[in-house]
Amino acid sequence: MVERIEEHDGIPDVLYQLSSNISTAVKADEVFLFMVGAQENSLYLCSEGEECIQLTPFAPIDPGTNIVAHVAHSRQPVFSEDILGDERFPLGTGRDGSLAKSVLSLPLIQPNGEIVAVIELSRQVGSPPFTQQEKQVCNVSL
């Protein structure tokens, strides 16, 4: 892991690698990294580009919309066993066409209390939900 992180430049690259490693450890079906825009109060979806991690505008940080915005606002990890029926997040994951059912969303916070990013791990319909042990692995990894 250290070698792969050393190959990358910048916080988004390192956090993208970290989120991928956590996803592998808990056998998530999908993992998404959202960087928090400090100035605009917005989330940016990270994706692999040819030479670097690309940031695409995703959504504003509005509580009561989707799970990632809630976590970015509250700065607390959230687990939803059934995101499709979770009334706290009427927009679910906020991604069109998402097949996510069990979702674990984790804030990445700097020592000064500033939130930098949110990792969203999910298991799709038909996969078992995350276990308590897997949730602990995620919390320990951060």
Side-chain angles (χ1 to χ4, degrees), residues 125-140:
V125 174
S127 294
F130 292 104
T131 65
Q132 189 63 35
Q133 183 179 1
E134 290 165 333
K135 292 180 220 174
Q136 290 174 346
V137 166
C138 291
N139 287 328
V140 169

Side-chain angles (χ1 to χ4, degrees), residues 62-74:
D62 291 332
T65 56
N66 63 57
I67 191 168
V68 179
H70 176 84
V71 170
H73 178 76
S74 71

Side-chain angles (χ1 to χ4, degrees), residues 33-134:
L33 175 66
F34 299 89
M35 297 302 295
V36 174
Q39 305 276 328
E40 306 98 39
N41 198 35
S42 296
L43 294 164
Y44 295 85
L45 177 61
C46 296
S47 59
E48 286 188 272
E50 287 187 31
E51 301 202 15
C52 64
I53 298 300
Q54 297 178 348
L55 302 176
T56 304
F58 179 71
I61 300 174
D62 291 332
T65 56
N66 63 57
I67 191 168
V68 179
H70 176 84
V71 170
H73 178 76
S74 71
R75 296 185 162 114
Q76 297 295 315
V78 173
F79 171 68
S80 178
E81 194 165 317
D82 181 9
I83 193 72
L84 304 173
D86 196 323
E87 294 178 2
R88 298 176 293 174
F89 316 112
L91 299 179
T93 63
R95 294 184 316 278
D96 293 335
S98 173
L99 298 175
K101 180 161 174 82
S102 176
V103 178
L104 184 55
S105 193
L106 310 159
L108 300 177
I109 302 171
Q110 294 186 53
N112 67 2
E114 181 182 338
I115 185 161
V116 177
V118 177
I119 296 174
E120 180 185 282
L121 303 159
S122 66
R123 292 209 174 132
Q124 297 178 347
V125 174
S127 294
F130 292 104
T131 65
Q132 189 63 35
Q133 183 179 1
E134 290 165 333

